[in-house]
Amino acid sequence: RSILGAVAAASLSLSLGMGAAQAQDKKFTIALIPGLTTDAFYITMQKGAQAAADALGVELVFQGAPDFNPVTQVPVLDAVIARAPDAILIAPTDTTQLVEPLRKAHDAGIPVITVDTFIGTGQYQTGAGDADFPLSYIASDNVLGGKIAARALAAAIGGEGKVYVSNVKPGISTTDQREAGFKQAMAEEFPNVTVLETQFNENDANKAASQLQGVLAREADLKGVFGANLFSALGAANGVQQAGQTGNVKVVAFDAPGSIVDNLSTGLVDVAIAQHPAEIGYYGVVSAYAHLTGNSIPVSIGTGFTIIDKNNVSDPNVAKYVYSE
Ligand code: T6T
């Protein structure tokens, strides 16, 4: 390496506050614990995290549970803590039930960053001493996402009629916030839309499909449904199709796996709101690395959305946000 190159590298290291030897010699291990492993959203997040890990020479460990549930996620977290990684990135599956399990990591000196979901209020590093110990929260703006969904569904149904939210279960920060944003926008902006009682499906698309048919049996003039995450949306859309109501009952989907996006052209799904999970994973690893090399990091990082419908779905700049399976 030229002297100039060495000087440039050294001054970069210094300006970022990291010792050059530390930055070059230590290979960090960063664990990523998703909400569940078999979900295109988290598979896409893993890809983004791996891209950052490769660029930074970090070892990424991806370890999760087969379903979105604190009962199965906490043992995975305990096993990861026992391996003493240099940092933990986690999508906590419950705002309260993951607080004490994650405090164990914090008490063991392992930095915690939450990705996608948060614990407590999601306000970290406030000095409140409750669930404020994670260093950063990296995610979509889920309240805004719910408002976007409300506006899209209201437009699809012509601004009036009955709709409901197909959701997972209370206690998950992301889907709680999407429902809140959806209801707020409907109440403030669309007085002629009636939002019926939320149907909770425990992240089971089959349950979401039968709930759609149940609501339709009770409310024959149902106009639309907002699926607040991948499995809620997929199930609701399947329910509409099975009921022979494609195009009559409008579907706005949060998340954008191929199985949802493929249904835009058939008219079964009107709009898919793609999150940018690869960016969440990427910035998760970059932030952990920055912290581990002596830099301060933002307490929250917001990633964006891409709104997909039948008119833009084949644009490569849109299609690149369809999730990996
Ligand atoms: O919608 C995503 C994620 O943001 C949410 O926290 C849980 O569900 C998904 O993983 C989709 O299945």
Side-chain angles (χ1 to χ4, degrees):
R1 185 160 70 171
S2 73
I3 290 189
L4 265 184
V7 170
S11 63
L12 176 70
S13 301
L14 287 177
S15 67
L16 288 171
M18 56 182 154
Q22 184 190 17
Q24 283 165 20
D25 299 342
K26 162 101 175 143
K27 186 168 170 100
F28 294 112
T29 299
I30 298 176
L32 170 58
I33 304 176
L36 74 164
T37 48
T38 55
D39 177 339
F41 174 84
Y42 294 112
I43 292 168
T44 310
M45 183 187 292
Q46 180 190 9
K47 280 198 165 179
Q50 190 63 55
D54 291 346
L56 294 168
V58 163
E59 189 188 342
L60 180 75
V61 176
F62 182 77
Q63 206 174 331
D67 55 3
F68 195 98
N69 192 329
V71 174
T72 47
Q73 188 180 43
V74 170
V76 172
L77 171 60
D78 286 341
V80 166
I81 293 172
R83 289 172 63 175
D86 294 294
I88 291 177
L89 309 176
I90 183 169
T93 47
D94 190 279
T95 50
T96 53
Q97 293 184 56
L98 266 293
V99 174
E100 294 315 317
L102 276 172
R103 199 189 300 281
K104 280 198 236 166
H106 176 67
D107 289 348
I110 304 171
V112 174
I113 291 174
T114 76
V115 287
D116 176 44
T117 46
F118 58 71
I119 53 171
T121 60
Q123 305 291 315
Y124 298 157
Q125 301 296 314
T126 62
D130 47 6
D132 74 320
F133 57 83
L135 296 175
S136 185
Y137 167 53
I138 304 172
S140 307
D141 179 338
N142 288 289
V143 175
L144 174 63
K147 291 182 181 177
I148 292 171
R151 291 165 189 152
L153 189 57
I157 65 172
E160 59 183 353
K162 293 176 184 166
V163 303
Y164 77 94
V165 183
S166 173
N167 210 343
V168 181
K169 62 186 163 196
I172 304 167
S173 68
T174 45
T175 48
D176 283 355
Q177 288 193 323
R178 291 169 202 163
E179 181 177 333
F182 179 88
K183 287 181 168 168
Q184 189 192 336
M186 284 303 194
E188 290 174 1
E189 301 169 27
F190 305 101
N192 298 325
V193 173
T194 304
V195 181
L196 304 170
E197 197 186 338
T198 297
Q199 303 292 306
F200 291 108
N201 56 50
E202 307 276 332
N203 224 24
D204 177 347
N206 291 328
K207 199 165 172 184
S210 46
Q211 286 171 337
L212 184 289
Q213 304 206 33
V215 175
L216 203 51
R218 296 191 291 277
E219 311 277 355
D221 54 350
L222 179 72
K223 288 282 175 55
V225 56
F226 167 39
N229 85 331
L230 193 160
F231 300 99
S232 305
L234 191 61
N238 288 340
V240 169
Q241 187 174 38
Q242 286 155 13
Q245 294 294 329
T246 301
N248 293 333
V249 177
K250 305 293 187 183
V251 179
V252 168
F254 219 90
D255 292 312
S259 52
I260 285 177
V261 171
D262 288 348
N263 284 308
L264 291 168
S265 54
T266 66
L268 178 59
V269 177
D270 269 81
V271 171
I273 300 170
Q275 303 187 74
H276 294 178
E279 293 169 14
I280 297 174
Y282 187 92
Y283 291 122
V285 169
V286 168
S287 300
Y289 182 82
H291 171 75
L292 291 168
T293 50
N295 303 285
S296 73
I297 59 173
V299 76
S300 80
I301 297 178
T303 54
F305 297 114
T306 297
I307 314 303
I308 313 181
D309 64 19
K310 63 175 186 304
N311 299 316
N312 69 4
V313 62
S314 44
D315 176 344
N317 284 325
V318 171
K320 71 182 180 190
Y321 290 107
V322 176
Y323 300 175
S324 313
E325 311 268 343

